[in-house]
């Protein structure tokens, strides 16, 4: 007889898909008689195979720090020197570095839990975006963007687990342009230029690519960096090779190491992975130190307020866990690393923010600051598509996932990559000869008419009619360049819906409020589209195709692409800037160059929200760098304070 196993992959928004696909595989039910007929050899081999596969997930699993018992913490009257809110790409770093000082007790508070095992496998990324790992925010409904998304709202996932958004991101290692950080310092932020920040970038990194090691990389950091696997299916491998050749044909330079400084050209990406396994920042920074006696981690805990006294000094936080409210007090300071959405939300709930807005919600204003303003993000366009017909026997999709899992667990191939993302293309549309790219493109290759294609579009929360249209695209594979504007001029805002800390904040992305951003995107689309005119793409039967969106399909030329921008845009998940760093003379700034909140004692913010201007690449690694720099500043300041106090005591 044969047994049938069904693996259903469910959508996390079943309102329009009950499930994405059903994989069915028939396997023989080996019984004793069958196995004994082979004198035991086959039985032994099958048993070994099964044992290998059953144990394989253990090889990629991580032991994270345990969560403390809040009742025990109260009973033992544990005093915390520092409280860190948020265990993401900055908070995990700060918790590690501050706990290096053994006499300091560190409390790290995270709203989520440990990341699920599937987040460790790069190729399962679309299945990681769900309420267990993300806040699942939506923006307010805009005009002229995200109209192809559910309810016309941009889907804004933000990490909610140890590791934060580094547990759900695309794992790309890029530092951005050196010019980005020099701009930060020019705005009055002392020692935030690239030269000053390079030691922090090197400190975080353990580069595992021999030919790229040089004075710009680090090799002793916690975060492992290497390339995605090159052992992938022939059509995807062919795309990677063809893409580079086509870009060179168009005159793009080949860049050997595009991670250390964004420059015009095409280059192979580095990733925060280790032997094909995701290295989220908590895995890198917290797991190795999980037994430190002075590090206390509180998971599944919701911080509702920062406690601030009459002298405007932060002295604790109010935390809800299991529906019980507890106040935790701090001796030195509180560091907010809750991200560019939740850090400003928590500040405003605590009375730090725009006075007029707080008054409307009956929140007493402690400090009137431009919290929540200056929101910047990389808008992502996915409407330019290429169809690729290949001379290749397409695998049976029902067996493909099983094959992929087997190869991944035994060799770290296939699912050790991200659907063809191997190279990144940067373009400078300004023509100012400064080699400061303003457009970025990644290339995803997906089997046409597949559940994989459906899954990816579902992960972006696209409308059913958009997904149905994508599923009708002809050809064997679809190539989707993810095109983004790197230095947008448009700015949005985060603000409170009400004074309930459990209510999501209001996110207004305001893409294209500045016309120049749409013009840059249109020019970027035009230039990336030229790949279809190259001899390389023509030889490979790679052609530009139209997505059949009712309003856009009859149009041609720039009118078509302007229409597509309305529907096929979403967030790149790079929201930043909402607690702007700047001198006190900058009326829009929230924190100073030491990340201290203006006018509030013993309170800092350290995450993507402090960026005065968005960087010209993915934001994860800059956030890790911010954590490293913040840690050094905090340690230097408090060790000097303690040293001076000791000297005074001796006198």
């Amino acid at each position: 007889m044969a047994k049938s196993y069904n693996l259903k992959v469910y959508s996390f928004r079943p309102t329009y898909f009950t499930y994405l696909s059903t994989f069915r595989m028939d396997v023989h039910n080996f019984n004793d008689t069958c196995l004994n007929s082979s004198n035991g050899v086959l039985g032994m081999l099958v048993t070994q195979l099964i044992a290998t596969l059953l144990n394989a997930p253990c090889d990629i699993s991580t032991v994270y720090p345990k969560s403390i018992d809040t009742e025990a913490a109260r009973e033992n009257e544990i005093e915390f020197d520092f409280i860190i809110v948020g265990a993401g790409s900055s908070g995990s770093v700060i918790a590690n570095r501050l706990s290096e000082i053994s006499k300091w007790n560190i409390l790290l508070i995270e709203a989520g839990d440990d990341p699920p095992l599937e987040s460790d496998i790069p190729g399962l990324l679309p299945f990681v975006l769900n309420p267990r790992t993300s806040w699942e925010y939506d923006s307010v409904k805009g005009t002229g963007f995200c109209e192809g998304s559910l309810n016309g709202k941009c889907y804004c996932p933000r990490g909610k687990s140890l590791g934060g958004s580094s547990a759900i991101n695309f794992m790309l290692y890029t530092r951005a342009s050196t010019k980005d950080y020099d701009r930060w310092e020019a705005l009055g932020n002392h020692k935030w230029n690239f030269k000053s920040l390079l030691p922090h970038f090197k400190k975080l990194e353990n580069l595992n690519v021999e030919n790229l090691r040089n004075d710009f990389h680090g090799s002793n950091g916690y975060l492992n960096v290497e390339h995605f696997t090159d052992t992938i299916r022939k059509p995807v491998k062919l795309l990677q090779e063809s893409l580079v050749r086509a870009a060179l044909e168009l005159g793009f330079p080949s860049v050997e190491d595009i991670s250390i400084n964004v420059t015009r050209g095409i280059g192979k990406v580095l990733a925060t992975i280790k032997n094909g396994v995701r290295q989220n920042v908590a895995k890198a920074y917290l797991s190795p130190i999980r037994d430190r006696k002075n590090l206390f981690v509180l998971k599944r805990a919701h911080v509702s307020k920062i406690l601030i006294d009459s002298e405007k000094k932060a002295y604790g936080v109010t935390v809800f866990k299991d529906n019980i409210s507890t106040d935790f007090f701090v001796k030195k300071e509180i560091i907010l690393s809750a991200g560019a959405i939740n850090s400003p939300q928590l500040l405003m709930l605590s009375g730090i923010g725009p006075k007029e807005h707080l008054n409307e919600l009956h929140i007493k204003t402690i400090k009137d600051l431009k919290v929540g303003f200056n929101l910047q993000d990389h808008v992502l366009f996915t409407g330019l598509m290429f169809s690729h017909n290949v001379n290749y026997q397409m695998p049976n999709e029902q067996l493909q996932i099983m094959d992929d899992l087997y190869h991944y667990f035994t060799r770290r191939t296939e699912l050790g990559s991200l659907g063809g993302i191997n190279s990144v293309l940067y373009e400078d549309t300004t023509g100012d000869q400064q080699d400061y790219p303003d457009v970025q493109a990644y290339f995803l290759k997906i089997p046409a008419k597949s559940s994989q294609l459906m899954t990816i579009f579902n992960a972006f929360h696209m409308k059913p009619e958009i997904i149905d249209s994508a599923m009708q695209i002809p050809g064997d594979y679809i190539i989707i360049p993810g095109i983004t504007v790197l230095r947008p001029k448009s700015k949005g805002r985060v603000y409170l819906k009400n004074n309930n800390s459990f209510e999501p904040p209001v996110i207004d992305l305001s893409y294209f409020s500045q016309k120049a951003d749409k013009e840059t995107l249109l020019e970027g689309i035009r230039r990336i589209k030229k790949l279809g005119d190259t001899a390389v793409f023509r030889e490979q039967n790679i052609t530009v195709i139209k997505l059949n969106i009712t309003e856009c399909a009859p149009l041609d030329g720039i009118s078509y692409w302007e229409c597509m921008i309305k529907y096929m845009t979403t967030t790149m998940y790079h929201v930043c800037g909402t607690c702007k760093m700047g001198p006190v003379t900058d009326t829009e700034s929230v924190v100073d160059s030491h990340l201290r909140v203006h006018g509030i004692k013993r309170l800092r913010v350290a995450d993507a929200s402090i960026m005065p201007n968005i960087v010209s690449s993915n934001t994860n690694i800059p956030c890790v760098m911010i954590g490293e720099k913040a840690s050094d500043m905090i340690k230097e300041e408090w060790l000097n304070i303690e040293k001076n106090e000791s000297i005074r005591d001796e006198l």
Side-chain angles (χ1 to χ4, degrees):
M1 292 194 53
K3 279 189 177 180
S4 296
Y5 292 91
N6 293 293
L7 172 62
K8 289 186 177 181
V9 185
Y10 288 93
S11 164
F12 292 105
R13 289 215 170 176
T15 53
Y16 65 100
F17 278 116
T18 304
Y19 60 88
L20 294 173
S21 60
T22 301
F23 299 104
R24 184 178 181 87
M25 183 179 70
D26 291 331
V27 295
H28 286 289
N29 179 19
F30 288 107
N31 55 39
D32 292 342
T33 303
C34 175
L35 294 180
N36 288 338
S37 67
S38 65
N39 294 323
V41 174
L42 180 58
M44 180 181 67
L45 292 175
V46 170
T47 301
Q48 181 62 47
L49 174 61
I50 293 172
T52 299
L53 292 176
L54 288 175
N55 288 323
C58 299
D59 293 336
I60 65 173
S61 65
T62 302
V63 180
Y64 292 96
K66 294 180 180 179
S67 184
I68 65 169
D69 186 310
T70 54
E71 185 66 29
R74 284 195 299 266
E75 290 178 357
N76 294 326
E77 297 182 344
I78 299 175
E79 290 187 310
F80 300 107
D81 293 274
F82 296 92
I83 294 177
I84 304 161
V85 180
S89 296
S90 301
S92 292
V93 177
I94 298 170
N96 177 307
R97 296 304 187 185
L98 294 188
S99 64
E100 291 175 340
I101 310 300
S102 59
K103 61 183 176 180
W104 291 346
N105 283 336
I106 314 300
L107 175 61
L108 175 63
I109 305 174
E110 169 55 44
D113 206 335
D114 297 344
L117 194 59
E118 55 265 29
S119 75
D120 290 328
I121 304 176
L124 295 185
L125 176 62
F127 299 100
V128 177
L129 298 174
N130 61 73
R132 179 182 173 186
T133 59
S134 170
W135 287 100
E136 297 281 277
Y137 291 144
D138 287 314
S139 72
V140 297
K141 189 173 183 178
T143 302
F145 59 89
C146 292
E147 293 186 25
S149 300
L150 291 175
N151 301 314
K153 298 179 178 182
C154 303
Y155 173 48
C156 299
R158 307 304 304 163
K160 189 178 70 173
S161 71
L162 294 185
S165 293
S166 74
I168 61 173
N169 71 350
F170 277 67
M171 293 159 278
L172 303 177
Y173 181 95
T174 57
R175 295 178 184 170
S177 170
T178 59
K179 295 181 177 66
D180 293 329
Y181 306 105
D182 294 342
R183 288 175 68 199
W184 288 8
E185 183 171 67
L187 293 173
N189 298 298
H190 184 54
K191 290 190 176 181
W192 283 87
N193 60 71
F194 180 75
K195 183 178 179 181
S196 298
L197 297 178
L198 179 57
H200 302 291
F201 278 118
K202 293 172 65 176
K203 185 178 181 181
L204 68 88
E205 177 187 351
N206 176 37
L207 180 68
N208 195 21
V209 182
E210 189 66 36
N211 67 301
L212 295 183
R213 289 182 176 173
N214 54 42
D215 291 341
F216 286 92
H217 281 292
S219 58
N220 297 307
Y222 280 98
L223 192 61
N224 198 78
V225 178
E226 58 190 51
H227 289 128
F228 286 117
T229 178
D230 278 332
T231 309
I232 48 183
R233 285 190 189 83
K234 183 178 178 180
V236 180
K237 184 76 170 177
L238 181 62
L239 166 66
Q240 295 174 350
E241 296 168 351
S242 300
L243 176 61
V244 173
R245 290 169 51 211
L248 295 177
E249 184 179 330
L250 290 176
F252 286 93
S254 176
V255 183
E256 182 180 35
D257 186 357
I258 210 160
S259 67
I260 57 175
N261 180 28
V262 165
T263 182
R264 182 179 183 271
I266 188 166
K268 192 173 182 179
V269 298
L270 287 170
T272 52
I273 59 174
K274 186 174 183 180
N275 189 26
V277 180
R278 178 195 291 270
Q279 292 288 287
N280 74 66
V281 181
K283 175 184 287 191
Y285 277 84
L286 297 181
S287 183
I289 63 162
R290 59 184 178 272
D291 295 325
R292 277 187 187 166
K293 301 301 182 184
N294 63 331
L295 175 62
F296 302 87
V297 178
L298 182 59
K299 300 181 237 184
R300 304 176 299 281
H302 177 87
V303 178
S304 64
K305 189 176 182 180
I306 304 164
L307 304 174
I308 302 170
D309 65 19
S310 59
E311 297 179 350
K312 296 186 178 181
K313 180 174 71 175
Y315 65 92
V317 294
T318 298
V319 179
F320 280 87
K321 182 173 172 62
D322 300 326
N323 296 319
I324 298 174
S325 173
T326 303
D327 290 339
F328 290 97
F329 304 107
V330 69
K331 293 194 294 183
K332 289 182 169 60
E333 66 177 69
I334 297 165
I335 302 105
L336 285 189
S337 294
I341 303 299
N342 297 107
S343 282
Q345 178 192 26
L346 189 51
L347 285 175
M348 287 185 282
L349 287 167
S350 306
I352 302 169
K355 185 175 182 179
E356 183 177 350
H357 175 51
L358 299 185
N359 285 345
E360 291 173 351
L361 300 177
H362 307 290
I363 298 173
K364 180 183 177 181
T365 303
I366 296 174
K367 181 63 179 178
D368 183 10
L369 292 172
K370 286 279 193 174
V371 173
F373 289 83
N374 193 50
L375 184 155
Q376 297 161 63
D377 187 25
H378 290 142
V379 60
L380 177 67
F381 176 72
T382 58
L384 172 61
M385 298 183 184
F386 297 88
S387 175
H388 188 193
N389 290 302
V390 296
N391 183 20
Y392 175 76
Q393 182 64 44
M394 299 292 288
N396 183 305
E397 190 183 9
Q398 294 182 349
L399 293 175
Q400 179 179 310
I401 184 64
M402 302 303 172
D403 289 343
D404 286 351
L405 281 170
Y406 172 75
H407 285 289
Y408 180 78
F409 284 141
T410 57
R411 298 174 180 84
R412 295 292 185 267
T413 58
E414 301 298 349
L415 292 175
S417 67
L418 279 178
I421 291 182
N422 176 276
S423 296
V424 59
L425 185 70
Y426 288 101
E427 175 64 301
D428 184 354
T429 71
T430 63
D432 60 8
Q433 307 299 313
Q434 296 297 310
D435 196 11
Y436 194 11
D438 57 353
V439 169
Q440 176 193 61
Y442 292 106
F443 297 81
L444 195 64
K445 188 165 189 175
I446 314 163
K449 304 180 182 68
S450 66
S451 61
Q452 182 182 347
L453 176 65
M454 194 185 300
T455 300
I456 290 172
F457 272 82
N458 181 50
F460 282 106
H461 289 194
M462 303 302 289
K463 290 179 177 177
E465 55 265 34
I466 299 291
I467 301 178
D468 290 343
S469 179
M471 292 294 287
Q472 303 305 314
I473 294 174
D476 297 323
Y477 278 87
I478 298 172
I479 300 168
I480 305 177
I483 306 173
T484 189
V485 178
L486 291 176
R487 296 195 308 282
K489 295 178 172 59
S490 303
K491 295 183 179 181
R493 183 184 170 190
V494 174
Y495 53 96
L496 300 177
K497 182 184 298 184
N498 52 43
N499 58 14
N500 182 353
S501 69
F502 290 93
E503 283 282 346
V506 181
I507 304 170
D508 182 0
L509 295 172
S510 293
Y511 295 143
F512 309 127
S513 58
Q514 296 295 311
K515 185 179 178 181
D517 293 339
K518 183 180 288 187
E519 293 173 347
T520 298
L521 181 55
L522 284 167
E523 180 61 19
I525 294 169
R526 187 184 72 82
R527 298 194 185 196
I528 304 302
K529 181 175 174 286
K530 284 185 176 181
L531 290 167
D533 299 327
T534 62
V536 176
F537 270 36
R538 288 198 302 270
E539 290 169 4
Q540 298 295 334
N541 296 316
I542 302 175
T543 56
V544 176
I545 53 173
K546 275 189 172 183
L547 192 63
N548 187 26
I549 295 177
T550 303
E551 181 184 349
C552 306
L555 304 175
D556 290 306
I558 192 170
S559 297
Y560 172 77
W561 296 112
E562 286 179 330
C563 181
M564 289 296 288
I565 285 173
K566 289 173 55 179
Y567 289 93
M568 300 303 292
T569 40
T570 187
T571 171
M572 190 77 167
Y573 314 155
H574 294 167
V575 177
C576 66
T578 49
C579 298
K580 180 183 179 184
M581 175 174 61
V584 69
T585 53
D586 180 352
T587 57
E588 293 188 349
S589 68
V590 175
V591 301
D592 64 16
S593 60
H594 284 258
L595 309 186
R596 298 171 295 207
V597 176
H598 292 311
I600 304 294
K601 302 171 187 175
R602 303 196 176 186
L603 178 62
R604 292 183 213 239
V605 181
D607 53 34
S609 68
I610 65 97
M611 296 183 184
N613 290 316
I614 195 168
V615 295
S616 304
S617 75
N618 303 67
T619 53
N620 183 51
I621 297 307
C623 287
V624 182
M625 176 276 294
I626 289 169
E628 289 282 11
K629 182 171 175 62
S631 302
D632 285 350
M633 291 189 296
I634 294 167
K635 285 197 288 188
E636 180 181 12
E637 182 175 323
W638 282 101
L639 288 173
N640 283 335
I641 289 173
E642 291 178 348
K643 180 180 178 181
N644 292 333
E645 289 176 347
S646 177
I647 292 173
R648 284 197 299 270
D649 291 342
E650 290 178 3
L651 294 175

